[in-house]
Amino acid sequence: MSKKLNLVILKNELPDDHLLWINACNDYDDKVTYRIIDLTKNNWLDNIRKEPFDILLTKPGGINSQFKQLYDERVFILNNVLGYKLYPSANEVYIYENKRFLSFWLEANNIPHPNTFVFYHLNEAINFLETQTFPIVAKTSIGASGSGVEILRTKELAMKYLKKTFSGKGAFQRTGPDFTKGNLIKRSINYVLNPSKIKNKINVYKLRSESTQKCFVIFQQYIPHDFEWRVVRIGDSFFAHKKLIKNQKASGSLLKEYLNPPLDLFNFVKNITDRFNFYSQAIDIFEAENGYLINEMQCIFGQSDSYQMKVDGKIGRYIYNNNKWLFEEGDFNKNESYNLRIKYLIDLSNFK
């Protein structure tokens, strides 16, 4: 019998945020063993070092900026100082739910993206707004599902946003339920039938409220669009679908369209992820007049449907083999694609 892959799950500030990793490991219990370490605890490093392991499984938080910074710092020590293997990788963790850092990273690596501007000085931001045409997009550095995104359609609204961020209550960010998503009755019944989910949501809302963004703003060029492409790469599996707009945003709308994706979209994503060894990525992409533009990059992402792509109405994935894209029909996104992540690590370990 071959040796089992020994994994360590690095949980974050939310008590149940790592359960999908556990589900995936349990489904492959004949091939992997695992233990769980809370990376936010004081004894995190001693606990990791207590027993040998092969790979650390990361699950960075995307709710609270203080805990996000803590997680990133400790991942830096584990990867850059101690040389441990992490999946998703350290660099994937750093750009996750840090739109400020992501904008610098994309610019430095000459990766096409909407023009993005980060201001820590109020006067500099005011001078910038005097030269702009509107609308422009304002974003908080952390905030999933469009919770910190505002479309500022006039200079007056942008100036109010600046005042609130630099000297008021901070940048707008939804901290409670999103009543625009619809299906309120279905969602309410789900919480009634699963009371533990109510407690988890309250924890999320509390952490969001403790992470108000002040003293800096992020402005982004507005790209007119009716949808974003969501392109997913896990290992050597590729998927894509359209995220449709609702209330002027594609993020968090949960509205999708499963049409045959163009293969040059996969070429675009493969080139970038190959370049940086990113093997757990969901990339949101605008189709602009001058080509594809990256809007977001996330190593961990939500999945409201049980699949990520349909081609000619069939659920499946694309793989790149012998210099061409091949479609494989099948259910590859079980357990919100965490099982596919574990299978990738098992296959990689067997290959080596």
PDB file of all heavy atoms in Angstrom, residues 171-185:
ATOM      1  N   ALA A 171     -15.387  53.688   4.638  1.00  0.00           N
ATOM      2  CA  ALA A 171     -15.955  53.341   3.342  1.00  0.00           C
ATOM      3  C   ALA A 171     -17.163  52.437   3.512  1.00  0.00           C
ATOM      4  O   ALA A 171     -17.210  51.586   4.404  1.00  0.00           O
ATOM      5  CB  ALA A 171     -14.905  52.653   2.476  1.00  0.00           C
ATOM      6  N   PHE A 172     -18.146  52.622   2.644  1.00  0.00           N
ATOM      7  CA  PHE A 172     -19.337  51.782   2.710  1.00  0.00           C
ATOM      8  C   PHE A 172     -18.980  50.331   2.442  1.00  0.00           C
ATOM      9  O   PHE A 172     -18.221  50.018   1.520  1.00  0.00           O
ATOM     10  CB  PHE A 172     -20.372  52.223   1.670  1.00  0.00           C
ATOM     11  CG  PHE A 172     -21.472  51.208   1.465  1.00  0.00           C
ATOM     12  CD1 PHE A 172     -22.520  51.119   2.364  1.00  0.00           C
ATOM     13  CD2 PHE A 172     -21.429  50.311   0.400  1.00  0.00           C
ATOM     14  CE1 PHE A 172     -23.514  50.166   2.204  1.00  0.00           C
ATOM     15  CE2 PHE A 172     -22.427  49.349   0.234  1.00  0.00           C
ATOM     16  CZ  PHE A 172     -23.473  49.292   1.127  1.00  0.00           C
ATOM     17  N   GLN A 173     -19.538  49.454   3.261  1.00  0.00           N
ATOM     18  CA  GLN A 173     -19.432  48.023   3.007  1.00  0.00           C
ATOM     19  C   GLN A 173     -20.605  47.340   3.695  1.00  0.00           C
ATOM     20  O   GLN A 173     -20.859  47.579   4.883  1.00  0.00           O
ATOM     21  CB  GLN A 173     -18.122  47.444   3.534  1.00  0.00           C
ATOM     22  CG  GLN A 173     -17.944  45.969   3.197  1.00  0.00           C
ATOM     23  CD  GLN A 173     -16.569  45.448   3.564  1.00  0.00           C
ATOM     24  OE1 GLN A 173     -15.811  46.122   4.258  1.00  0.00           O
ATOM     25  NE2 GLN A 173     -16.230  44.255   3.132  1.00  0.00           N
ATOM     26  N   ARG A 174     -21.311  46.526   2.932  1.00  0.00           N
ATOM     27  CA  ARG A 174     -22.438  45.804   3.526  1.00  0.00           C
ATOM     28  C   ARG A 174     -21.906  44.832   4.572  1.00  0.00           C
ATOM     29  O   ARG A 174     -21.043  44.008   4.300  1.00  0.00           O
ATOM     30  CB  ARG A 174     -23.203  45.042   2.432  1.00  0.00           C
ATOM     31  CG  ARG A 174     -24.340  44.178   2.966  1.00  0.00           C
ATOM     32  CD  ARG A 174     -25.083  43.476   1.842  1.00  0.00           C
ATOM     33  NE  ARG A 174     -24.194  42.730   0.986  1.00  0.00           N
ATOM     34  CZ  ARG A 174     -23.697  41.537   1.273  1.00  0.00           C
ATOM     35  NH1 ARG A 174     -23.985  40.964   2.428  1.00  0.00           N
ATOM     36  NH2 ARG A 174     -22.894  40.919   0.427  1.00  0.00           N
ATOM     37  N   THR A 175     -22.443  44.949   5.800  1.00  0.00           N
ATOM     38  CA  THR A 175     -22.012  44.067   6.881  1.00  0.00           C
ATOM     39  C   THR A 175     -23.085  43.064   7.269  1.00  0.00           C
ATOM     40  O   THR A 175     -22.803  42.095   7.965  1.00  0.00           O
ATOM     41  CB  THR A 175     -21.626  44.884   8.130  1.00  0.00           C
ATOM     42  OG1 THR A 175     -22.750  45.687   8.530  1.00  0.00           O
ATOM     43  CG2 THR A 175     -20.448  45.795   7.839  1.00  0.00           C
ATOM     44  N   GLY A 176     -24.326  43.292   6.833  1.00  0.00           N
ATOM     45  CA  GLY A 176     -25.426  42.398   7.167  1.00  0.00           C
ATOM     46  C   GLY A 176     -25.912  41.616   5.969  1.00  0.00           C
ATOM     47  O   GLY A 176     -25.215  41.490   4.963  1.00  0.00           O
ATOM     48  N   PRO A 177     -27.138  41.070   6.063  1.00  0.00           N
ATOM     49  CA  PRO A 177     -27.678  40.255   4.970  1.00  0.00           C
ATOM     50  C   PRO A 177     -27.815  41.049   3.682  1.00  0.00           C
ATOM     51  O   PRO A 177     -28.043  42.261   3.697  1.00  0.00           O
ATOM     52  CB  PRO A 177     -29.063  39.839   5.509  1.00  0.00           C
ATOM     53  CG  PRO A 177     -28.996  40.028   6.985  1.00  0.00           C
ATOM     54  CD  PRO A 177     -28.051  41.166   7.217  1.00  0.00           C
ATOM     55  N   ASP A 178     -27.694  40.351   2.565  1.00  0.00           N
ATOM     56  CA  ASP A 178     -27.885  40.956   1.253  1.00  0.00           C
ATOM     57  C   ASP A 178     -29.313  40.661   0.799  1.00  0.00           C
ATOM     58  O   ASP A 178     -29.624  39.571   0.321  1.00  0.00           O
ATOM     59  CB  ASP A 178     -26.878  40.377   0.259  1.00  0.00           C
ATOM     60  CG  ASP A 178     -26.944  41.065  -1.100  1.00  0.00           C
ATOM     61  OD1 ASP A 178     -27.826  41.927  -1.277  1.00  0.00           O
ATOM     62  OD2 ASP A 178     -26.126  40.745  -1.964  1.00  0.00           O
ATOM     63  N   PHE A 179     -30.185  41.657   0.953  1.00  0.00           N
ATOM     64  CA  PHE A 179     -31.597  41.457   0.617  1.00  0.00           C
ATOM     65  C   PHE A 179     -31.854  41.570  -0.883  1.00  0.00           C
ATOM     66  O   PHE A 179     -32.974  41.357  -1.327  1.00  0.00           O
ATOM     67  CB  PHE A 179     -32.456  42.469   1.370  1.00  0.00           C
ATOM     68  CG  PHE A 179     -32.430  42.275   2.865  1.00  0.00           C
ATOM     69  CD1 PHE A 179     -31.724  43.148   3.683  1.00  0.00           C
ATOM     70  CD2 PHE A 179     -33.092  41.204   3.436  1.00  0.00           C
ATOM     71  CE1 PHE A 179     -31.700  42.964   5.057  1.00  0.00           C
ATOM     72  CE2 PHE A 179     -33.071  41.011   4.820  1.00  0.00           C
ATOM     73  CZ  PHE A 179     -32.365  41.892   5.627  1.00  0.00           C
ATOM     74  N   THR A 180     -30.836  41.908  -1.658  1.00  0.00           N
ATOM     75  CA  THR A 180     -31.027  42.041  -3.102  1.00  0.00           C
ATOM     76  C   THR A 180     -30.874  40.709  -3.836  1.00  0.00           C
ATOM     77  O   THR A 180     -31.163  40.622  -5.024  1.00  0.00           O
ATOM     78  CB  THR A 180     -30.017  43.050  -3.694  1.00  0.00           C
ATOM     79  OG1 THR A 180     -28.692  42.514  -3.597  1.00  0.00           O
ATOM     80  CG2 THR A 180     -30.089  44.376  -2.961  1.00  0.00           C
ATOM     81  N   LYS A 181     -30.409  39.674  -3.158  1.00  0.00           N
ATOM     82  CA  LYS A 181     -30.151  38.398  -3.820  1.00  0.00           C
ATOM     83  C   LYS A 181     -31.429  37.653  -4.191  1.00  0.00           C
ATOM     84  O   LYS A 181     -31.419  36.792  -5.046  1.00  0.00           O
ATOM     85  CB  LYS A 181     -29.286  37.498  -2.932  1.00  0.00           C
ATOM     86  CG  LYS A 181     -27.810  37.824  -2.983  1.00  0.00           C
ATOM     87  CD  LYS A 181     -27.004  36.783  -2.239  1.00  0.00           C
ATOM     88  CE  LYS A 181     -25.515  37.035  -2.350  1.00  0.00           C
ATOM     89  NZ  LYS A 181     -24.715  36.028  -1.637  1.00  0.00           N
ATOM     90  N   GLY A 182     -32.535  37.960  -3.517  1.00  0.00           N
ATOM     91  CA  GLY A 182     -33.764  37.238  -3.794  1.00  0.00           C
ATOM     92  C   GLY A 182     -33.819  35.923  -3.043  1.00  0.00           C
ATOM     93  O   GLY A 182     -32.993  35.626  -2.178  1.00  0.00           O
ATOM     94  N   ASN A 183     -34.861  35.123  -3.347  1.00  0.00           N
ATOM     95  CA  ASN A 183     -35.073  33.830  -2.682  1.00  0.00           C
ATOM     96  C   ASN A 183     -35.083  33.959  -1.165  1.00  0.00           C
ATOM     97  O   ASN A 183     -34.575  33.092  -0.446  1.00  0.00           O
ATOM     98  CB  ASN A 183     -33.999  32.813  -3.096  1.00  0.00           C
ATOM     99  CG  ASN A 183     -34.058  32.457  -4.565  1.00  0.00           C
ATOM    100  OD1 ASN A 183     -35.139  32.325  -5.126  1.00  0.00           O
ATOM    101  ND2 ASN A 183     -32.901  32.305  -5.179  1.00  0.00           N
ATOM    102  N   LEU A 184     -35.679  35.069  -0.672  1.00  0.00           N
ATOM    103  CA  LEU A 184     -35.650  35.333   0.766  1.00  0.00           C
ATOM    104  C   LEU A 184     -36.379  34.250   1.547  1.00  0.00           C
ATOM    105  O   LEU A 184     -35.932  33.835   2.630  1.00  0.00           O
ATOM    106  CB  LEU A 184     -36.263  36.704   1.058  1.00  0.00           C
ATOM    107  CG  LEU A 184     -35.447  37.921   0.582  1.00  0.00           C
ATOM    108  CD1 LEU A 184     -36.199  39.209   0.891  1.00  0.00           C
ATOM    109  CD2 LEU A 184     -34.077  37.937   1.241  1.00  0.00           C
ATOM    110  N   ILE A 185     -37.510  33.781   1.015  1.00  0.00           N
ATOM    111  CA  ILE A 185     -38.280  32.758   1.727  1.00  0.00           C
ATOM    112  C   ILE A 185     -37.471  31.461   1.815  1.00  0.00           C
ATOM    113  O   ILE A 185     -37.354  30.839   2.879  1.00  0.00           O
ATOM    114  CB  ILE A 185     -39.633  32.512   1.029  1.00  0.00           C
ATOM    115  CG1 ILE A 185     -40.501  33.770   1.106  1.00  0.00           C
ATOM    116  CG2 ILE A 185     -40.353  31.325   1.656  1.00  0.00           C
ATOM    117  CD1 ILE A 185     -41.824  33.654   0.373  1.00  0.00           C
TER     118      ILE A 185
END
